[in-house]
Amino acid sequence: AGKEVVLSTQTLIESGADVTTLHKIAANGKFMVEANDMGAVQCLAGKVPFVAGPHLNIYNEVTLATYARYGMQRWVPPLEADRHLVETLHCSRPAGVETEVFAYGKLPLAFSARCFTARHYELNKDDCQFKCLEHPEGLLLKTREGQDFLTINGIQTMSAHCYDLLDQIPGILALGIDLVRISPQ
């Protein structure tokens, strides 16, 4: 249906189990892998082509070229990047490197070693009882004035509202962007 499965690595690796999972994902042999931290890049570099995720902080041509030398096949600009930065790097990207733009979904803004969902329920992270499964859309946080502010989901802080560039797709395509990312809710 025109969709591609890409396995994504964690942005915050904290334990031996996380490292083991990272190595399994990197060695899966079937699906492309999105690297979201330098440990993942190290596991993938020179072995298999990979996607440089938005959390690798690619803000200039030198960094983009460096990841390409490591085997990056596609990059996703940082979520806070403006159109000018995306256009500049897209136009100067190394040959064979695709650009993917986040076009719809709650923006992943920050990651923490603490599990906010477990903390909400006054549970330790190691004994969270998987409370996040009770909140597939995360937990909505509001301002004192009652306005939607952020969404917490495990260790991730996301925007409360969906980022939506869907009406900008014609302009994105006109720039020659290769792919758009839709983050399902």
Side-chain angles (χ1 to χ4, degrees), residues 4 7 10 19 23 53 79 94 96 126 145 160 181 183:
E4 173 187 17
L7 302 178
Q10 292 177 229
V19 172
H23 286 286
L79 301 174
D126 294 336
E145 295 79 22
R181 179 173 295 197
S183 182

Side-chain angles (χ1 to χ4, degrees), residues 80-99:
E80 67 275 9
D82 64 14
R83 180 186 175 109
H84 176 72
L85 177 66
V86 173
E87 188 172 353
T88 299
L89 294 183
H90 173 70
C91 291
S92 66
R93 72 193 191 282
V97 172
E98 298 173 316
T99 301

Side-chain angles (χ1 to χ4, degrees), residues 34 51-54 74-91 93 97-108 163-183:
E34 178 176 302
V51 177
R74 180 183 310 150
W75 75 290
V76 183
L79 301 174
E80 67 275 9
D82 64 14
R83 180 186 175 109
H84 176 72
L85 177 66
V86 173
E87 188 172 353
T88 299
L89 294 183
H90 173 70
C91 291
R93 72 193 191 282
V97 172
E98 298 173 316
T99 301
E100 178 178 344
V101 171
F102 189 98
Y104 183 85
K106 291 184 179 181
L107 292 171
Y163 181 75
D164 187 353
L165 292 180
L166 296 179
D167 64 338
Q168 302 295 313
I169 297 292
I172 291 170
L173 294 175
L175 287 175
I177 300 296
D178 303 285
L179 299 109
V180 294
R181 179 173 295 197
I182 309 294
S183 182

Side-chain angles (χ1 to χ4, degrees), residues 116-117 120 137-141 150-154 156-158:
F116 298 119
T117 308
H120 173 78
E137 299 293 324
L139 291 166
L140 183 63
L141 302 177
L150 296 170
T151 300
I152 56 171
N153 188 0
Q156 184 174 232
T157 302
M158 301 181 299

Side-chain angles (χ1 to χ4, degrees), residues 106-140:
K106 291 184 179 181
L107 292 171
L109 302 171
F111 302 90
S112 172
R114 295 180 184 219
C115 175
F116 298 119
T117 308
R119 187 173 183 155
H120 173 78
Y121 286 101
E122 298 181 7
L123 298 168
N124 291 327
K125 183 178 177 183
D126 294 336
D127 185 28
C128 67
Q129 302 170 22
F130 298 103
K131 288 290 192 178
C132 56
L133 296 176
E134 296 174 15
H135 307 280
E137 299 293 324
L139 291 166
L140 183 63

